[in-house]
Amino acid sequence: MELTANEKRLLAELGNLGSAEASVLADALSTDAAAVVQWAHLAAGRGLVQVSREVQEEYRLTEEGEAYARDGLPERQVVGSIDGEIPMGELSRHPLAKVAIGWMRKNNWITIDRGIAKKADSTPESPEELALKKIAAGVADPGECGELKSRGLVTVHEEVRWIIEITPDGKKLLEAGIDLRPEVGTLTREQIISGSWRDEALRRYSLATPPRRIYPGKPHPYRQILDEVRTLLLEMGFSEFSGNIVQSVFWNFDALFQPQDHPAREMQDTFYLDLTSPLPDGWEKIRDMHEHGGETSSTGWGGSWDRRKAEGSVLRTHSTALSIQYLAAHPEPPVKGFSLSRVYRRESIDPTHLAEFEQLEGIVMDEYVTFSHLLGFLKEFYHRMGFPDVRFRPAYFPYTEPSVEPEVWVDGLGWVELGGAGIFREEVTSPFGISHPVLAWGLGISRVAMLRLGLKDLRQLYKSDIDWIRNTPSYRRI
Amino acid sequence: MAIITLNYEYLERLTKTDKDTILKALPMIGSDIERLEEDHADLEFFPDRTDLYSVEGVARAMRGFLGIETGLPEYPVLESEIRFSVDPALAGIRPILGSAVIRNLRFDDASIESVMALQEALHWAIGRGRSKVAIGLHDLSAITPPFHYIASPRDRQFVPLDYTEPMTMDQILADHPKGRAYAGIVEHFDRFPLIVDANDQVLSFPPIINGELTRVTSDTTDILLDVTGTDERAVQNTVAIICSAFAEAGGTIQSVIIDGQKTPSLAPVERIIDCDECARLLGLPLTPESIIPLLEKMRFGAEPLEGSNVLVRVPCFRADIMHDWDIFEDVAIAYGFDRFPATLPPTFTIGTEDPASRLARIVSGIAIGLGYTEVMPFTLTNERVSYQLMQRPRSDAALTVLHPISIENTMVRTDLLPMLLEILQLNTHRELPQRIFAVGDVNDGAITYQKVAGAAIHPSADFSEIYATVDAILRELGVETLTIAESDDPAFLSGRQGAIMNGSEKTGCFGELHPDVIVGFDLEHPVIGFEIDLRPFL
């Protein structure tokens, strides 16, 4: 059995005293009572001492209580001021009347009749007065102090005393002799170089005492998921692109063949800005596409396309606004690109809907890429994201045709919709001179984060509890 | 997306098969089952498939998809002498009229319910809340042709649906529930659209309300349809969807002559598609022989032409078919998404990281090495947090959104440090020290760029700690042209702050946060912070 130096000192002291209160031992050992109790508990764990806790209640008068102990309770002071009878109106002018009237009635010291208070013939000592007297004299009876406590005249103080007593085992150990040399904690440079550490009693540290918790600086748990996705796409040969949060209505909607009266464009769903954005060269091709399908087999939306609407500005509602600009700048195949960017929707904020969240979008443009290849990319991507079971369902998005909605199997939830995909409509690509199919897929990555991190409330990602970050492990198996 | 209620008994009767078979197949054409009840199911359909917004339309699609009845459904339009005129004064108000007569209907509750729901769903999906298209159905037996669609004075009176006393049109907009709901579409016009019969009886005040006179009941057998609006194509699509649904329910469609023009046409639109192009897009080995049954399953008419060309007859109700690829998608759905091979293309590319992401990643590594934990605050914020609480003047870089959702989210952030202080404010009950940082987008007007910021709170946080931290970050970023200069940023204590300079331009700041700023964010200990524009490092 390896005792700490402090346990040994405590035991040695108890060898003389047998049993003592912690504060007494603390004086003898030049420390504080809390430390003694801590050492004693350690030694008690080895059966060398016994620790007992005694609690004593002490009743103390509050400042107000002190005053009443001296001058009498309000009801006594007020009743003393009454001579026979007094109208209530007059009585209530006494500064203590508010407290006193109820108590005087309860004590049957007065009776009130038609607004006149009449003093009783005798006003014997009330239980409260008796209790107050006892407390002042230091002989409080806990059973009698309830009323005074609730009147705020008395407070109860608990005093804890720790009694430590050496056990027969402790005595035996002491008799066998213990090494009382002071223990060495942290080694000094001197002790290491000179080798004098060999002569010291080195403290042995207990593994039973948990270490202090320290917290490393670390990436946000959500960042780790975003970085995994980025790495995964870079590994698959995709190049990353990014762009401005503020986009013209032209790039956000018109270039994606979203009709100008589409409900998603309305103020209720999209954040608009008081800012005019100039149209890029070649905007006429987009107009023609909307009005009659340009030079494709499309009919277009019909009606007339309003240039002024396209010149408006919005906070980008989807990362597709960036994808189409990336394609416009890189119209020659092959192109494999992705962006991971925040998008904005004018939604009321609740646990599963936020006005801003991250969207991943991947695009592949090449000669002869097909819808089957799109499904192949989706399968590969979700497998690498840790979802082995993927299935596909028809979907509708204004700028893709055919469109598809991938679903992944999540234990406990079943099939979960996770993003959307499709081939960009020819109405979208042809105005920019893109003559090969563009496979595209998008994913609200915060939904993946919710699933992976087991979150109930998306806001935790952005307005984070630091303890949640501290206590979420950095590593998790995929 | 529209939620459509499918009454099982009616659906089974029209589809000619059991509901379980239908409910199993519906998700394969893309609809979501929202709710299954005792006698009906609620399903969600895509916004472009307005032809599926009725039990009749769903049954028609399902008969094809399940192989019960495939190919083009045809809807003959019988001639009638019923005439309709359109007042030229409606030109700037609501000029387009579509119409048809439907006879020999035998309504029951399920079919009335289906038609009413179709009308309502189309008002939203095509009609954009009745502004672009509005639909009226009238009991033909109560009225006398010819009918007139006119621009009427606003004080014209009639008894609106669900009322017993006549009201003026102005009163209807003010007092009738439908009037109040849709007043915005017409209230700014001097005259209002109105439909009357030969005896000047009012049928309808489009797009607001019908007259009580022509109420459709279960006794109604003959119907006059009016569809008014501002867009010719949307009006004709709506007429086609409603007429074809009535025809599916057993009605006979008759034409109406509008200003000499016979209407409606329920004839298919012809398109010639190239089967090879479809095969190339989908990645399937398709031939004209194999593609035709797939097209017919989706209720197209299809005939082989020369070579790989196929003549496709698109039924009148398929308003969504705008391009050949829309037909290719239907081929893919008919083939079955679950049967597709999912393969990767041989495309070879080398992936490259966005330079801004690479810099952000490296800066994060440095901050983490210095003991800082990353947070990812919102990018939407407000002027109170960004400027007022920071004791800074409002920046010209701030762009406010026009219709914010709350006072919390009125602008895109221009600085990160206030966002960090807000996160510290949320964590006052958590153990100190707290050291947090963020790397992310901020806006300068409409331009987005990246910054890094850090903040630390603990009882001994002071200027020397933050100066050392900033110094370490700048050394790690290896840019030697940056210098430190005196600064008078009111967010920090005077004499305990510095500016990071790129030549003569201020590109960052650091210091002890001003106690008024600390208290403003409900914090109680010393707080130090820094913020650095990352553009000079790119």
Side-chain angles (χ1 to χ4, degrees):
Chain A
M1 190 180 327
E2 274 303 330
L3 301 191
T4 65
N6 287 327
E7 281 175 274
K8 289 175 188 170
R9 291 171 59 212
L10 175 67
L11 220 51
E13 197 58 36
L14 284 170
N16 302 330
L17 299 173
S19 154
E21 205 191 313
S23 58
V24 175
L25 287 163
D27 287 346
L29 295 167
S30 321
T31 182
D32 57 58
V36 169
V37 171
Q38 198 191 340
W39 305 343
H41 275 118
L42 270 175
R46 310 183 206 272
L48 304 175
V49 303
Q50 212 167 17
V51 185
S52 49
R53 181 175 183 268
E54 285 178 7
V55 182
Q56 228 169 15
E57 283 192 343
E58 195 197 336
Y59 289 80
R60 286 189 205 155
L61 292 175
T62 62
E63 209 175 306
E64 198 184 358
E66 294 270 14
Y68 293 155
R70 200 171 53 238
D71 306 332
L73 285 168
E75 54 267 35
R76 176 60 65 192
Q77 293 185 39
V78 175
V79 81
S81 73
I82 302 174
D83 188 14
E85 289 184 359
I86 183 169
M88 283 301 285
E90 197 178 317
L91 179 62
S92 61
R93 278 201 287 277
H94 193 287
L96 293 173
K98 220 170 163 187
V99 188
I101 291 171
W103 287 101
M104 292 192 297
R105 290 184 67 179
K106 195 167 172 228
N107 294 342
N108 292 319
W109 291 351
I110 60 167
T111 50
I112 297 169
D113 187 24
R114 296 193 198 95
I116 305 291
K118 188 174 175 220
K119 188 171 170 178
D121 295 338
S122 78
T123 56
E125 186 173 58
S126 68
E128 290 78 31
E129 284 179 306
L130 183 67
L132 188 65
K133 225 190 256 172
K134 282 188 177 175
I135 294 166
V139 290
D141 180 341
E144 295 171 351
C145 298
E147 291 289 7
L148 294 182
K149 240 166 83 182
S150 57
R151 287 175 74 172
L153 306 181
V154 173
T155 53
V156 186
H157 293 263
E158 283 193 349
E159 200 168 329
V160 180
R161 296 172 66 225
W162 295 93
I163 311 293
I164 300 152
E165 187 182 2
I166 193 161
T167 62
D169 279 355
K171 275 195 185 128
K172 227 183 282 173
L173 186 72
L174 202 53
E175 277 155 20
I178 48 176
D179 181 359
L180 283 174
R181 279 181 302 165
E183 279 188 341
V184 168
T186 309
L187 291 174
T188 64
R189 174 175 178 271
E190 216 304 295
Q191 286 165 335
I192 290 169
I193 293 173
S194 68
S196 70
W197 63 269
R198 293 177 210 279
D199 307 325
E200 304 286 349
L202 297 184
R203 176 183 307 151
R204 296 183 67 89
Y205 291 100
S206 165
L207 295 174
T209 315
R212 183 169 62 89
R213 276 181 99 100
I214 56 171
Y215 301 104
K218 66 198 265 192
H220 192 281
Y222 186 29
R223 171 74 63 200
Q224 300 186 10
I225 292 172
L226 295 178
D227 276 348
E228 261 174 41
V229 173
R230 288 179 61 244
T231 307
L232 188 160
L233 283 154
L234 291 167
E235 283 171 354
M236 287 169 76
F238 285 76
S239 289
E240 186 181 16
F241 57 88
S242 60
N244 288 322
I245 291 172
V246 175
Q247 290 290 336
S248 63
V249 170
F250 178 86
W251 285 118
N252 196 77
F253 292 121
D254 293 285
L256 295 168
F257 199 55
Q258 198 112 311
Q260 289 200 316
D261 64 353
H262 193 282
R265 288 182 172 226
E266 282 169 22
M267 297 280 184
Q268 292 97 284
D269 298 311
T270 300
F271 288 114
Y272 279 83
L273 300 159
D274 185 14
L275 189 75
T276 304
S277 299
L279 299 184
D281 288 343
W283 61 269
E284 297 88 348
K285 288 185 177 163
I286 307 299
R287 174 198 61 200
D288 295 351
M289 192 55 74
H290 278 251
E291 290 184 349
H292 54 76
E295 288 152 23
T296 68
S297 71
S298 177
T299 59
W301 293 112
S304 66
W305 183 82
D306 184 352
R307 173 188 176 152
R308 279 163 311 168
K309 279 190 181 169
E311 285 172 337
S313 305
V314 296
L315 302 186
R316 63 188 176 214
T317 63
H318 46 192
S319 43
T320 318
L322 304 180
S323 301
I324 187 61
Q325 290 176 76
Y326 186 73
L327 283 167
H330 301 87
E332 293 305 319
V335 171
K336 273 162 74 182
F338 77 98
S339 71
L340 200 50
S341 40
R342 241 176 238 195
V343 299
Y344 301 83
R345 302 277 168 87
R346 201 173 168 281
E347 295 220 43
S348 306
I349 295 175
D350 67 33
T352 56
H353 295 89
L354 299 179
E356 53 178 297
F357 54 91
E358 271 72 20
Q359 207 173 47
L360 165 76
E361 184 147 305
I363 48 173
V364 178
M365 186 260 283
D366 199 3
E367 274 181 288
Y368 309 122
V369 289
T370 69
F371 190 61
S372 297
H373 293 141
L374 174 64
L375 303 187
F377 269 115
L378 290 169
K379 263 207 169 135
E380 180 69 23
F381 175 76
Y382 285 107
H383 286 177
R384 285 168 176 248
M385 287 289 291
F387 300 106
D389 296 315
V390 186
R391 71 175 190 185
F392 302 110
R393 292 201 22 218
Y396 170 75
F397 306 105
Y399 36 86
T400 54
E401 194 79 21
S403 305
V404 55
E405 210 161 57
E407 294 182 329
V408 298
W409 180 264
V410 179
D411 284 334
L413 290 179
W415 290 105
V416 176
E417 255 177 55
L418 220 50
I423 300 179
F424 273 159
R425 297 186 71 98
E426 206 187 353
E427 290 96 327
V428 174
T429 54
S430 117
F432 299 102
I434 298 154
S435 48
H436 301 290
V438 178
L439 315 180
W441 81 94
L443 168 66
I445 209 90
S446 50
R447 300 237 1 228
V448 177
M450 265 184 119
L451 291 174
R452 290 267 295 267
L453 296 168
L455 291 182
K456 297 265 182 298
D457 190 336
L458 268 177
R459 284 169 290 196
Q460 182 67 265
L461 297 178
Y462 304 94
K463 289 200 154 183
S464 302
D465 181 337
I466 285 179
D467 267 16
W468 173 70
I469 303 178
R470 285 172 170 167
N471 294 321
T472 303
S474 294
Y475 175 74
R476 57 185 60 234
R477 247 179 234 107
I478 298 179
Chain B
M1 298 223 196
I3 307 277
I4 305 299
T5 295
L6 303 178
N7 173 298
Y8 293 147
E9 187 274 323
Y10 190 43
L11 179 68
E12 289 181 336
R13 178 149 48 95
L14 289 180
T15 314
K16 304 184 179 84
T17 186
D18 65 284
K19 74 170 194 336
D20 295 333
T21 308
I22 301 167
L23 289 174
K24 215 171 140 217
L26 276 170
M28 295 161 78
I29 66 160
S31 82
D32 273 323
I33 297 171
E34 287 286 310
R35 252 180 313 277
L36 292 176
E37 301 287 347
E38 186 88 349
D39 61 343
H40 72 272
D42 292 336
L43 278 97
E44 191 175 7
F45 289 97
F46 297 141
D48 64 328
R49 288 300 303 271
T50 42
D51 60 303
L52 298 177
Y53 288 3
S54 63
V55 183
E56 293 83 358
V58 172
R60 174 176 58 207
M62 280 294 109
R63 288 200 304 274
F65 196 73
L66 295 169
I68 297 163
E69 172 196 288
T70 61
L72 185 76
E74 299 198 51
Y75 304 111
V77 180
L78 306 181
E79 306 261 331
S80 86
E81 289 307 310
I82 293 176
R83 286 171 189 279
F84 222 134
S85 72
V86 179
D87 183 349
L90 285 161
I93 304 174
R94 197 171 180 84
I96 316 289
L97 173 72
S99 182
V101 164
I102 304 104
R103 292 194 189 271
N104 307 324
L105 285 165
R106 270 201 314 263
F107 274 129
D108 58 22
D109 290 348
S111 55
I112 287 198
E113 206 178 291
S114 175
V115 167
M116 293 302 159
L118 171 64
Q119 196 180 341
E120 215 34 58
L122 292 178
H123 273 150
W124 288 105
I126 301 183
R128 304 281 189 247
R130 301 195 187 187
S131 63
K132 197 173 175 182
V133 170
I135 305 157
L137 297 174
H138 310 280
D139 189 328
L140 190 58
S141 67
I143 43 180
T144 316
F147 306 111
H148 307 286
Y149 178 35
I150 58 171
S152 155
R154 297 166 56 136
D155 56 3
R156 171 73 190 255
Q157 286 196 330
F158 70 98
V159 181
L161 206 57
D162 298 328
Y163 277 63
T164 50
E165 297 302 315
M167 297 168 84
T168 69
M169 291 154 88
D170 270 324
Q171 270 171 344
I172 290 172
L173 293 194
D175 299 330
H176 195 285
K178 295 285 183 213
R180 283 201 300 272
Y182 299 102
I185 303 171
V186 291
E187 63 190 352
H188 48 288
F189 295 119
D190 294 337
R191 284 168 170 261
F192 287 160
L194 192 75
I195 298 175
V196 293
D197 77 351
N199 303 325
D200 206 28
Q201 303 185 98
V202 173
L203 281 66
S204 175
F205 168 17
I208 310 295
I209 188 80
N210 280 353
E212 179 64 28
L213 175 73
T214 57
R215 173 188 284 278
V216 173
T217 68
S218 49
D219 297 330
T220 304
T221 56
D222 299 334
I223 276 184
L224 174 75
L225 166 71
D226 82 74
V227 179
T228 61
T230 55
D231 181 281
E232 175 75 32
R233 202 199 301 188
V235 166
Q236 294 314 331
N237 286 339
T238 305
V239 171
I241 287 166
I242 292 186
C243 287
S244 66
F246 273 128
E248 291 288 339
T252 309
I253 313 299
Q254 271 190 347
S255 62
V256 170
I257 299 158
I258 301 178
D259 290 334
Q261 200 76 24
K262 202 181 88 180
T263 177
S265 164
L266 301 181
V269 174
E270 295 192 345
R271 263 183 188 271
I272 295 170
I273 62 159
D274 177 355
C275 177
D276 288 350
E277 188 192 347
C278 179
R280 266 202 309 278
L281 189 75
L282 298 181
L284 293 178
L286 293 170
T287 61
E289 291 71 44
S290 63
I291 205 173
I292 285 171
L294 296 174
L295 289 165
E296 287 175 340
K297 194 172 161 182
M298 302 305 283
R299 306 306 313 253
F300 295 104
E303 267 174 43
L305 296 175
E306 200 125 321
S308 60
N309 285 349
V310 173
L311 174 72
V312 179
R313 290 196 178 84
V314 181
C316 62
F317 50 80
R318 286 299 299 271
D320 61 308
I321 305 292
M322 300 171 65
H323 186 282
D324 292 351
W325 289 13
D326 293 306
I327 296 174
F328 299 170
E329 181 180 65
D330 270 40
V331 171
I333 291 170
Y335 184 82
F337 278 24
D338 50 340
R339 288 177 57 211
F340 265 75
T343 53
L344 288 174
T347 304
F348 175 79
T349 49
I350 293 171
T352 48
E353 195 177 14
D354 182 37
S357 291
R358 177 172 173 270
L359 176 58
R361 180 166 59 73
I362 289 164
V363 169
S364 296
I366 299 167
I368 290 166
L370 288 164
Y372 281 69
T373 287
E374 187 184 22
V375 292
M376 302 179 68
F378 283 124
T379 52
L380 294 178
T381 180
N382 54 70
E383 297 187 13
R384 197 181 91 87
V385 169
S386 295
Y387 308 118
Q388 253 167 274
L389 289 179
M390 296 297 284
Q391 309 195 106
R392 286 170 171 168
R394 184 187 187 282
S395 163
D396 294 337
L399 266 189
T400 49
V401 300
L402 285 177
H403 304 278
I405 200 92
S406 76
I407 56 164
E408 299 293 312
N409 306 309
T410 57
M411 56 172 271
V412 180
R413 66 192 184 191
T414 57
D415 302 293
L416 295 177
L417 191 53
M419 314 302 291
L420 296 184
L421 297 181
E422 227 183 0
I423 290 185
L424 292 180
Q425 184 180 22
L426 291 174
N427 283 284
T428 47
H429 56 304
R430 298 303 185 196
E431 197 180 318
L432 301 182
Q434 292 172 7
R435 291 186 175 86
I436 57 174
F437 80 98
V439 187
D441 286 350
V442 292
N443 257 24
D444 179 359
I447 303 300
T448 301
Y449 66 100
Q450 285 75 42
K451 278 186 177 181
V452 58
I457 178 166
H458 59 97
S460 52
D462 63 6
F463 178 76
S464 54
E465 178 184 332
I466 200 66
Y467 194 7
T469 303
V470 167
D471 179 57
I473 292 171
L474 296 181
R475 275 185 286 117
E476 290 298 321
L477 287 173
V479 176
E480 277 143 28
T481 54
L482 298 187
T483 54
I484 304 294
E486 291 289 331
S487 151
D488 58 355
D489 184 340
F492 299 104
L493 267 177
S494 172
R496 297 187 178 193
Q497 59 172 303
I500 302 163
M501 306 298 292
N502 182 23
S504 62
E505 208 177 324
K506 185 171 172 178
T507 197
C509 61
F510 63 94
E512 284 184 32
L513 271 300
H514 194 283
D516 287 341
V517 174
I518 296 177
V519 170
F521 282 96
D522 302 324
L523 301 172
E524 295 177 347
H525 293 281
V527 181
I528 50 180
F530 67 88
E531 177 146 12
I532 307 170
D533 183 342
L534 290 176
R535 281 174 295 188
F537 306 100
L538 274 175

